[in-house]
Amino acid sequence: MFTLPSLPYSLDALSPVISSKTLSYHYGKHHKAYIDKLNNLIKGKPLEERALEEIIRETATDADEEAVFNNAAQVWNHTFFWQCLSPRKTEPSRAMTDLLKDSFGSVEDFKLGFEKAANEQFGSGWAWLVQAPEGDLKIISTPNAVNPLVTGDKAILTLDVWEHAYYLDYQNRRSDFTAAVVDRLLNWEFAEECLEGKAPPPIQRPHPAASSLRH
Ligand code: MN3
């Protein structure tokens, strides 16, 4: 059984950019619901024996397992997303700054591109900073639950742009939400760990013996 990982900060730590009310619903209701649904869907099936990342990769192109994929990927996405946010202001390291300049022209151009991808993702989905297998950084957006485990890229940062992520605080003003998060909450220290491969995958194993979710 998968269990809800603890948040890396308190529910009010991201306020006012993300209110404690939003975070309590987003983490305590939405994220938890994905975990509960996933557990129910894989109960008694071979998939129950697999690691979360394996479940995601194995069901990504299987129309018969669409519900499993959607819930498993959303479990992964949210666990990753919470780590991409920091109550304490962080800045890209020199090495990260150089990479961002090489890929996007400047840190500011990255931020504008990332916000654009987040704002223009039609309907529910995610914006991502990823590292392609060739090593260059890219901005991508994905619909619904799709994530870089499916595209074959390494996730560095993400932003959830499902309405449940911002509607209580910003109503229809998604671009105000994305600008505030990019300006004040992005966790560049976590991004650096992801880039260097030091950050553990969000969730290692599904089983009780090793089921404390790493974050
Ligand atoms: Mn969400």
Side-chain angles (χ1 to χ4, degrees):
M1 298 282 280
F2 292 99
T3 54
L4 185 66
S6 54
L7 267 185
Y9 31 73
S10 64
L11 288 173
D12 62 357
L14 306 179
S15 176
V17 177
I18 297 173
S19 69
S20 60
K21 187 173 183 184
T22 289
L23 200 51
S24 67
Y25 276 96
H26 197 174
Y27 166 72
K29 304 289 187 194
H30 291 275
H31 191 178
K32 183 174 187 301
Y34 294 126
I35 287 175
D36 292 343
K37 285 178 194 165
L38 175 62
N39 284 333
N40 282 332
L41 285 165
I42 62 177
K43 195 170 186 180
K45 295 182 178 174
L47 282 173
E48 193 176 18
E49 308 296 321
R50 314 305 291 271
L52 185 65
E53 288 83 357
E54 293 174 330
I55 295 174
I56 293 167
R57 290 195 179 98
E58 288 176 21
T59 59
T61 56
D62 186 345
D64 293 336
E65 299 289 3
E66 188 178 5
V68 173
F69 170 78
N70 283 336
N71 285 283
Q74 284 291 77
V75 168
W76 194 96
N77 293 348
H78 285 87
T79 306
F80 187 81
F81 177 48
W82 306 135
Q83 299 172 90
C84 293
L85 305 176
S86 170
R88 180 173 52 80
K89 177 99 172 160
T90 63
E91 299 289 348
S93 67
R94 174 166 295 192
M96 178 69 82
T97 297
D98 287 344
L99 262 176
L100 293 169
K101 281 181 180 170
D102 287 347
S103 302
F104 307 110
S106 68
V107 175
E108 194 56 33
D109 284 329
F110 157 72
K111 290 180 177 178
L112 291 171
F114 189 71
E115 287 175 34
K116 186 169 187 286
N119 295 338
E120 292 184 358
Q121 168 57 37
F122 184 77
S124 298
W126 300 78
W128 304 85
L129 173 64
V130 300
Q131 186 176 34
E134 301 76 27
D136 53 316
L137 297 182
K138 293 191 303 184
I139 295 165
I140 63 172
S141 60
T142 58
N144 301 316
V146 177
N147 67 32
L149 294 177
V150 179
T151 63
D153 300 306
K154 183 196 285 182
I156 307 294
L157 285 173
T158 194
L159 178 55
D160 186 344
V161 292
W162 284 57
E163 282 190 346
H164 66 226
Y166 60 88
Y167 212 85
L168 288 175
D169 297 331
Y170 298 86
Q171 294 78 50
N172 60 315
R173 292 174 285 113
R174 184 193 286 187
S175 60
D176 288 356
F177 165 69
T178 61
V181 170
V182 168
D183 182 49
R184 298 174 61 179
L185 295 184
L186 284 186
N187 187 344
W188 287 104
E189 292 168 7
F190 177 69
E192 183 93 6
E193 291 176 15
C194 291
L195 195 64
E196 293 173 353
K198 289 178 184 165
I203 295 169
Q204 297 278 319
R205 298 292 308 167
H207 289 301
S211 79
S212 39
L213 304 180
R214 310 255 310 252
H215 51 89

